[in-house]
């Protein structure tokens, strides 16, 4: 059965909050009608990635009200699943605090934590979000109180991160740290390009011309590691060693061509809500004839600690080591082999 419909605002429901994440890849939508309130985590195409019941506003039914669900209305939590079986008043002032990665969100009522929809919420697997008023685990919500020990550090880190990130001078200081590291491992900088336009995350590209025994130019992103990538923890047990990256590419040709690869991928994890790591591939998004390093290639392979490339290690941010992934062009055949 369909536990939640997509957030639509139809059928007598009212949207009381719509808050997008800083990267434009997820929106938190809170809907209510006279009987209950629910929150949805949606992508720009309207797909619902997580949903959590928030409150009943009338006495709870003894069992699931299937008629409401089939009508596409916000669900009513059955009596055994709520701390307020007699219902509670409509919710107060709502606000959202996004995780640094942008794939999860904490919802506040006034200054009180009301619910959390983490990046790993998945309705199809029976994993809704966590709600303050929920008891135990149900398809509508899991008890927030039972998850706070694990969630509280994430929420605290998110608050600290955005306070720092929106503070004056945060980006220039971070940029200076990365550029100083690259000065030490690659030598003096050449040109610098902005790769982000008006969209977060802010990312630049630095050019490092041939230096000493290195006969080729190295281009590196500057800024990807300023925020953790989404979804890493869903794939890796210890995500701290993999959540922050920068990308690099080496070339003996016109550096501006190779720089297009970094422009292409530098914001990709946050806009597509995914991560990049060692051994990953990416297929060029446009016609093969437009691939920056020649039409015989159709994508790139990402490699940590690439042989014959400079050692980029030694930089950390947010208490986590930053990994540089080297991009190398691959053919369509090699791309298919990697994917199978």
């Amino acid at each position: 059965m369909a536990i939640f419909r997509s957030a639509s605002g139809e059928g007598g429901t009212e949207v009381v909050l719509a808050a997008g994440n800083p990267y434009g890849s997820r929106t938190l939508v809170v809907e209510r009608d006279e009987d209950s309130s629910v929150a949805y985590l949606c992508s720009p195409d309207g797909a619902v990635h997580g949903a959590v019941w928030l409150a009943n506003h009338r006495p709870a039914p003894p069992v699931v009200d299937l008629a409401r669900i089939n009508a596409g209305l916000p669900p009513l939590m059955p009596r055994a699943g709520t701390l307020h079986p007699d219902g509670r008043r409509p919710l107060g002032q709502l606000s959202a605090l996004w995780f640094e990665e942008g794939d999860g969100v904490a919802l506040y009522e006034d200054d009180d934590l009301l619910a959390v929809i983490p990046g790993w919420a998945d309705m199809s697997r029976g994993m809704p979000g966590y709600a303050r008023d929920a008891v135990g685990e149900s398809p509508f919500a899991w008890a927030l109180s039972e998850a706070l020990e694990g969630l509280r550090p994430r929420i605290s880190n998110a608050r600290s991160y955005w306070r720092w990130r929106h503070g004056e001078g945060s980006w220039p200081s971070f940029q200076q740290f990365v550029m100083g590291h690259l000065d030490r491992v690659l030598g003096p900088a050449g040109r610098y390009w902005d790769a982000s336009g008006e969209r977060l995350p802010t990312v630049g590209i630095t050019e490092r011309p041939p230096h000493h025994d290195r006969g080729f130019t190295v281009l590196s992103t500057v800024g990807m590691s300023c925020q953790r990538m989404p979804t890493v923890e869903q794939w890796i047990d210890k995500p701290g060693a993999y959540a922050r990256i920068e990308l690099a590419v080496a070339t003996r040709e016109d550096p501006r061509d190779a720089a297009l690869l970094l422009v292409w991928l530098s914001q990709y994890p946050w806009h597509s809500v995914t991560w990049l790591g060692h051994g990953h591939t990416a297929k060029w998004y446009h016609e093969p004839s437009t691939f920056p390093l020649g039409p015989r290639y159709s994508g790139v392979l990402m490699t940590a600690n690439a042989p014959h490339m400079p050692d980029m290690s030694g930089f950390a941010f947010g208490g986590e080591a930053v990994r540089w992934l080297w991009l190398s062009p691959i053919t369509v055949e090699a791309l298919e082999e990697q994917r199978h």
Side-chain angles (χ1 to χ4, degrees):
M1 70 180 176
I3 300 299
F4 293 89
R5 297 288 179 86
S6 65
S8 63
E10 297 175 357
T13 61
E14 173 192 6
V15 174
V16 292
L17 178 71
N21 75 7
Y23 312 117
S25 57
R26 290 286 185 267
T27 300
L28 176 69
V29 178
V30 179
E31 286 184 1
R32 59 151 293 189
D33 67 2
E34 292 181 355
D35 297 329
S36 70
S37 295
V38 64
Y40 302 91
L41 189 62
C42 306
S43 57
D45 64 4
V48 176
H49 297 274
V52 63
W53 164 90
L54 300 173
N56 290 349
H57 305 307
R58 69 169 175 82
V63 294
V64 174
D65 185 339
L66 288 175
R68 277 185 66 85
I69 291 169
N70 292 332
L73 296 171
L76 273 165
M77 179 68 81
R79 178 169 290 271
T82 172
L83 291 173
H84 301 280
D86 295 329
R88 48 157 295 175
R89 60 176 175 73
L91 299 173
Q93 184 70 33
L94 300 176
S95 60
L97 172 65
W98 290 94
F99 289 2
E100 178 180 341
E101 301 90 334
D103 60 347
V105 63
L107 175 64
Y108 286 82
E109 180 188 19
D110 301 317
D111 293 323
D112 191 30
L113 183 62
L114 176 65
V116 176
I117 307 181
W120 59 86
D122 185 341
M123 297 308 302
S124 66
R125 293 193 291 156
M127 298 169 62
Y130 303 90
R132 180 188 65 195
D133 287 2
V135 174
E137 294 184 1
S138 81
F140 300 140
W142 290 358
L144 179 61
S145 58
E146 296 174 17
L148 270 179
E149 185 178 348
L151 291 172
R152 197 173 271 126
R154 296 290 299 271
I155 294 168
S156 176
N157 289 345
R159 190 172 300 284
S160 298
Y161 175 78
W162 292 115
R163 186 183 298 124
W164 169 80
R165 188 65 184 83
H166 293 311
E168 188 175 352
S170 62
W171 168 248
S173 66
F174 176 86
Q175 187 183 38
Q176 190 174 356
F177 284 137
V178 182
M179 294 291 277
H181 172 72
L182 294 173
D183 288 346
R184 290 188 291 277
V185 298
L186 295 175
R191 290 169 290 188
Y192 184 91
W193 299 277
D194 172 63
S196 49
E198 299 301 311
R199 302 173 70 189
L200 284 177
T202 304
V203 185
I205 298 170
T206 178
E207 172 193 40
R208 304 288 161 151
H211 183 65
H212 290 328
D213 297 335
R214 175 169 53 80
F216 51 86
T217 296
V218 171
L219 300 156
S220 171
T221 57
V222 176
M224 292 182 73
S225 61
C226 190
Q227 50 282 304
R228 305 174 101 237
M229 290 184 293
T231 76
V232 179
E233 63 205 351
Q234 297 174 39
W235 300 93
I236 291 178
D237 289 338
K238 295 183 179 178
Y242 301 89
R244 298 188 189 276
I245 65 162
E246 299 286 352
L247 299 177
V249 62
T251 183
R252 297 180 188 273
E253 308 299 327
D254 187 337
R256 291 172 296 184
D257 293 334
L260 291 173
L261 298 178
L262 302 183
V263 174
W264 164 42
L265 291 173
S266 61
Q267 294 181 312
Y268 179 78
W270 298 273
H271 294 170
S272 297
V273 192
T274 189
W275 68 293
L276 302 175
H278 174 73
H280 289 195
T281 58
K283 185 179 180 182
W284 181 241
Y285 71 100
H286 203 39
E287 293 296 320
S289 61
T290 66
F291 190 77
L293 303 185
R296 66 188 180 281
Y297 300 113
S298 65
V300 295
L301 172 67
M302 301 170 212
T303 310
N305 306 317
H308 315 302
M309 292 297 157
D311 178 4
M312 309 282 268
S313 62
F315 182 73
F317 181 68
E320 296 173 324
V322 174
R323 304 173 91 212
W324 262 261
L325 299 178
W326 291 88
L327 306 183
S328 53
I330 55 174
T331 63
V332 66
E333 293 81 13
L335 194 63
E336 288 303 316
E337 285 178 20
Q338 287 284 334
R339 294 191 168 191
H340 290 304

